Amino acid sequence: MPLTFNILAETESGGRRAQLHLPHRTVQTPVFMPVGTAGTVKAVPQDTLETLGAEIILGNTYHLYLRPGHEPIRRMGGLHKFIGWPRALLTDSGGFQVFSLSQLRKVTDEGVRFRSHLDGSSHFFTPEHSMDVQIALGADICMAFDECTEYPADRTRAEESLRLTMAWARRSLNHFRAHQHEVPWQNELWVPPVPRTWGPGSDVANHEQRLGTQSLFGIVQGGMYRDLRRESAERLIEMDFDGYAIGGLSVGEPRDLTLEMISEVLPLLPKDKPRYVMGVGYPDEIEQYARMGVDMMDCVLPTRAARHGLLFTSEGRLNIKGKRYAEDQGPPDPACDCMVCRRYSRAYLRHLMQAGEALSGTLNSIHNLAYYLGIMERVRKSLHPQGSSAL
Ligand SMILES: [Zn+2]
């Protein structure tokens, strides 16, 4: 059985509080998903992610396919077991990275030939191959293979790109349905060898893990053209995916255009299935979209910005490299009770950054993730009629 999605509360503006039941975890939505590019949310250990309350993280198919390869991961029992992450996982289709990272791409109706950004080796990705790789990785949620339309794209280009994405969506779905039983955890879900039985992040209360199947989401594309977005959504809904994503946003367009596309598509998507906006965004954006009825979001921003010394705080953005923090003994964010803000000062975080210490990226990332996850927790509480009891 693929995912089940139970809506607990809805608001007039469309926001909803729900539970997303996946094989490895029941995820409280709306949810922010940290991005674990190559099997790691950069600089942050898995047990720390658990303590922070992350219930689902992403893996990038393109990166994992190139290194260490999906076959070794399949032989070792799948991505959950390989990276030591018992909670839910989502893999993207590989499409976005093929188009943004690789060299010498050649796109045909059949698929994409590209060269690895690592060693220049040649690879051919088709919708079927993307499904095979994602089934081998074994994430709870897989994504249809799509072409992320660049911005700006003229009408002809956006139409052609959409035609390709819709054909690939159908082929992804057919292949996925025929092979989804081949997931490496088909008979047994992995649990950590020493289950945590105490303290924050303990998984004891969430041990209703159940066998199930992977789910597949379709991706709405169509560039910045409202009618193409509508057409894309309608055709995907006819195909009947387990959930729906809106892709091709946050690719350089102005923010009001992002909002316009989300507003156009959201009301068209089935109410009883999860809706995922890919690759957004800044803290105020994720809150806004969650209140509009977006259930899932992911973004590299909190961790990438952290490694560059940019902290998101209740007082706005804070560039920890600033000289004025050299002797500032206050916490990074006075309103944050994350493990970093409770223990360390701005002066220390600045020093770590200045000295190029590895801990710098770790501590900055932990705070930024805590901030993002905290936003979603607040939104969920405000959407839930009984307050926080269910959290
Ligand atoms: Zn903090």
Side-chain angles (χ1 to χ4, degrees):
M1 185 168 83
L3 61 83
T4 54
F5 188 64
N6 296 334
I7 296 174
L8 305 175
E10 281 182 272
T11 62
E12 281 185 14
S13 58
R16 63 250 197 104
R17 166 84 175 82
Q19 288 179 327
L20 175 59
H21 299 279
L22 299 170
H24 291 81
R25 182 80 176 180
T26 293
V27 175
Q28 310 298 324
T29 69
V31 66
F32 178 78
M33 306 182 286
V35 179
T37 307
T40 159
V41 175
K42 285 190 194 305
V44 184
Q46 276 73 317
D47 61 339
T48 305
L49 291 169
E50 288 180 8
T51 305
L52 289 171
E55 295 194 293
I56 175 169
I57 62 174
L58 258 70
N60 282 131
T61 294
Y62 170 86
H63 291 285
L64 294 164
Y65 158 79
L66 289 177
R67 188 172 56 192
H70 60 294
E71 286 300 344
I73 292 176
R74 180 213 297 277
R75 289 194 291 272
M76 290 186 279
L79 189 58
H80 292 87
K81 187 174 177 184
F82 178 56
I83 70 170
W85 176 253
R87 299 185 177 183
L89 277 170
L90 181 150
T91 45
D92 63 3
S93 71
F96 183 78
Q97 277 78 21
V98 166
F99 289 99
S100 62
L101 284 181
S102 68
Q103 298 141 7
L104 299 173
R105 297 182 305 272
K106 187 171 185 309
V107 184
T108 62
D109 279 4
E110 181 57 22
V112 190
R113 181 162 295 285
F114 62 94
R115 284 193 184 282
S116 161
H117 73 291
L118 296 175
D119 61 5
S121 55
S122 178
H123 303 266
F124 189 56
F125 244 61
T126 64
E128 291 79 11
H129 188 49
S130 171
M131 294 304 107
D132 285 339
V133 174
Q134 291 187 73
I135 291 167
L137 296 174
D140 298 81
I141 298 174
C142 304
M143 302 301 298
F145 192 61
D146 67 327
E147 184 182 55
C148 179
T149 313
E150 69 283 359
Y151 178 83
D154 67 25
R155 172 99 197 173
T156 310
R157 162 71 192 133
E159 281 176 357
E160 172 57 20
S161 177
L162 180 59
R163 184 189 67 76
L164 203 57
T165 286
M166 292 298 102
W168 287 356
R170 167 51 70 193
R171 283 168 54 192
S172 295
L173 188 64
N174 289 347
H175 195 80
F176 182 80
R177 293 279 182 250
H179 294 273
Q180 67 189 117
H181 62 279
E182 294 165 17
V183 71
W185 40 262
Q186 54 185 296
N187 296 319
E188 191 182 1
L189 293 177
W190 177 77
V191 290
V194 184
R196 293 163 64 90
T197 56
W198 49 270
S202 161
D203 262 330
V204 174
N206 201 274
H207 261 174
E208 29 63 70
Q209 293 183 336
R210 66 220 171 109
L211 281 175
T213 58
Q214 293 178 285
S215 295
L216 182 67
F217 283 23
I219 305 177
V220 175
Q221 291 284 355
M224 301 300 154
Y225 300 91
R226 296 164 73 133
D227 61 319
L228 294 184
R229 288 275 174 183
R230 279 201 304 277
E231 180 191 334
S232 177
E234 285 160 6
R235 288 174 60 187
L236 290 174
I237 293 163
E238 277 174 29
M239 295 182 210
D240 194 20
F241 283 87
D242 301 315
Y244 297 91
I246 307 176
L249 296 178
S250 252
V251 289
E253 79 280 9
R255 202 195 276 193
D256 55 355
L257 208 46
T258 317
L259 182 61
E260 190 182 322
M261 293 302 121
I262 295 173
S263 306
E264 185 71 32
V265 173
L266 267 189
L268 302 174
L269 299 178
K271 282 200 160 199
D272 59 347
K273 290 189 176 175
R275 308 150 166 178
Y276 165 27
V277 174
M278 307 178 77
V280 295
Y282 283 93
D284 55 324
E285 284 181 289
I286 63 168
E287 172 159 3
Q288 182 181 16
Y289 303 152
R291 293 192 184 283
M292 289 165 59
V294 174
D295 306 301
M296 306 162 66
M297 284 169 275
D298 76 282
C299 195
V300 294
L301 188 57
T303 42
R304 182 173 290 166
R307 297 194 301 280
H308 291 95
L310 180 65
L311 302 181
F312 296 103
T313 78
S314 58
E315 299 173 339
R317 295 178 206 175
L318 188 154
N319 191 333
I320 200 64
K321 284 177 289 194
K323 198 161 184 230
R324 65 179 180 278
Y325 303 121
E327 296 188 29
D328 186 337
Q329 297 188 67
D333 181 353
C336 179
D337 70 345
C338 83
M339 60 186 84
V340 174
C341 291
R342 282 198 310 250
R343 182 180 288 245
Y344 305 106
S345 66
R346 292 174 174 180
Y348 181 58
L349 294 189
R350 177 179 184 271
H351 160 71
L352 292 178
M353 183 99 206
Q354 294 292 107
E357 287 290 339
L359 188 59
S360 170
T362 296
L363 296 185
N364 293 348
S365 296
I366 289 173
H367 164 76
N368 275 355
L369 287 175
Y371 189 74
Y372 268 63
L373 293 165
I375 290 170
M376 287 293 112
E377 189 174 352
R378 275 200 309 281
V379 172
R380 285 196 301 271
K381 283 180 179 170
S382 73
L383 292 173
H384 198 280
Q386 276 87 47
S388 62
S389 58
L391 294 167

